[in-house]
Amino acid sequence: MSSFSFGEFAEKYFKDHKDDLQKHYPGIAPRRLKQELEHFCLEFQINIEDLFESRYVPTLNSPIQRFFDLLAKGTPLEYIREKAYFYRSEFTVNPDVLIPRSETEILVELGVQELKDWQKKTDENLRLCDIGTGSGAIVLSLLQEVDRPIDAIATDISRKALKVAKRNFFNLRYKIQKKSSVHFIETDRLKDITEKFHVIVSNPPYIMKNNDRELVHDQVDLFEPHVALYLNDETYFSWFNSLFKSVYEALLEDGVFIMEGHEDHLQKLGDLARENGLSHVEIIQDYTERDRFLIARKKWIK
Ligand SMILES: C[S@@+](CC[C@H](N)C(=O)[O-])C[C@H]1O[C@@H](n2cnc3c(N)ncnc32)[C@H](O)[C@@H]1O
């Protein structure tokens, strides 16, 4: 039987696994891990203060042991906690969806601006589409930011991802106008979608499976869904060509498309967007000054 208190056990664990923890969670301090543990305990209604004081006997299959097992594997903290913060909300996440990234918040800001501009130009409900919605982070954030009701469609090729997005819609429903709606549709990009939109947003998979793989962090490759990350090198540009073609068809006159993309490929994707009839193409950088977003418009007069 152990005569360790849990506090002592945790301290020893952090000391013994310091190198692995730093490898998987760069810059992490014991304080942050204690916070994560607190969140984890909250789920299981374990009182953390009592826990730290009490004698600790590691037992197989206990929730606490599960926390340390997931940590030892390098599981992203968001997947352990099943929560990620994005823009102004907390989203449920699991390994079926990408963990929403802070740089994608710039895409939301760009989308808010475009929706607000449309609000001045029309009295009708705004129409928004999110291609590859994942956890729903982008569309559900946008829906919270505009006064006018929005009719939104969010597509994803992954049924499991859509299940998570629907759950997030349910959890955030009180932050979204009653008159707004989101239809979650399982499809490839915009296939069989006949509606037209004022604004289309997308953070599609944009890493070339072979060419760009080297720069992908091991933890990302190991834990996040590959369907959310990678496209085949050989079909990369034809995949985007079809996307731009269908986006052009689905935009209303003066409509705008905002997409996140890979720093090494966005300039070429800008040319492809132009070839598909889109105009006023701009490439926008993220906080690290890397090309990250593409904005393109549908205008009769170019
Ligand atoms: C980079 S993740 C973005 C998720 C979420 N929008 C975000 O920004 O956090 C790409 C998403 O696109 C979906 N996806 C991949 N291929 C797709 C396709 N052909 N059609 C629709 N969605 C697709 C993936 O399942 C994944 O949810």
Side-chain angles (χ1 to χ4, degrees), residues 86 96-101 104 107 130-139 155-159 161-162 185-190 202-206 225-231 239 260:
F86 179 80
D96 294 328
V97 296
L98 186 98
I99 298 164
R101 303 295 204 269
T104 306
L107 190 155
D130 177 17
I131 305 169
T133 198
S135 61
I138 299 174
V139 70
T155 74
D156 206 292
I157 205 159
S158 157
R159 181 172 299 181
L162 287 170
I185 300 177
E186 183 186 343
T187 191
D188 180 356
R189 286 158 280 184
L190 284 173
S202 185
N203 177 16
Y206 59 70
H226 283 195
V227 67
L229 300 172
Y230 299 116
L231 291 174
W239 194 93
E260 186 168 326

